[in-house]
Amino acid sequence: MEHGATLIAIIHCLIALLLVVIVLLQDSKGGGVGGAFGAGTNQSIFGASGAASFLVKVTRFLAVGFMATCILLTVLSSRRGSKSVIDNLPATSPATTSPATGLPTTPVPATPRK
């Protein structure tokens, strides 16, 4: 189960990176980064408006994949149970602090009177 969550996390990160790149490639009102790669030209392999609609479809597909991996990772982490490094520490008595310095104080053992 641990390997499955790792694989889904890797896929999740790859989808996030692709989503950022695809969104930056899309043509915006101001031209965007997509204009630098020829996404706004009529001579593209997708046709006059094919690149824009293709990038929109890829963005939607990646967004759905991103949401699905988010949900899967949340479900897997909730089923695993809450494990913490703190749970493995030995139990100790609570430390008291000095009001004057704010530093932890160590109790001095009482010596018997003679």
Side-chain angles (χ1 to χ4, degrees):
M1 183 87 142
E2 189 72 27
H3 298 296
T6 304
L7 179 65
I8 293 173
I10 291 171
I11 292 171
H12 182 74
C13 291
L14 289 175
I15 288 175
L17 289 173
L18 285 173
L19 193 57
V20 168
V21 170
I22 294 296
V23 167
L24 288 175
L25 285 176
Q26 288 185 17
D27 194 22
S28 65
K29 292 180 183 177
V33 180
F37 297 107
T41 65
N42 289 338
Q43 302 283 331
S44 66
I45 55 175
F46 299 109
S49 64
S53 64
F54 174 74
L55 290 176
V56 169
K57 289 177 185 176
V58 170
T59 303
R60 287 181 186 155
F61 176 75
L62 289 174
V64 169
F66 186 80
M67 288 185 280
T69 55
C70 281
I71 293 169
L72 277 172
L73 287 171
T74 303
V75 168
L76 288 176
S77 67
S78 67
R79 287 187 182 177
R80 190 180 324 165
S82 60
K83 289 185 179 180
S84 174
V85 177
I86 307 267
D87 294 338
N88 296 333
L89 293 176
T92 59
S93 62
T96 57
T97 58
S98 169
T101 62
L103 297 174
T105 59
T106 55
V108 177
T111 57
R113 291 186 180 189
K114 293 186 180 184

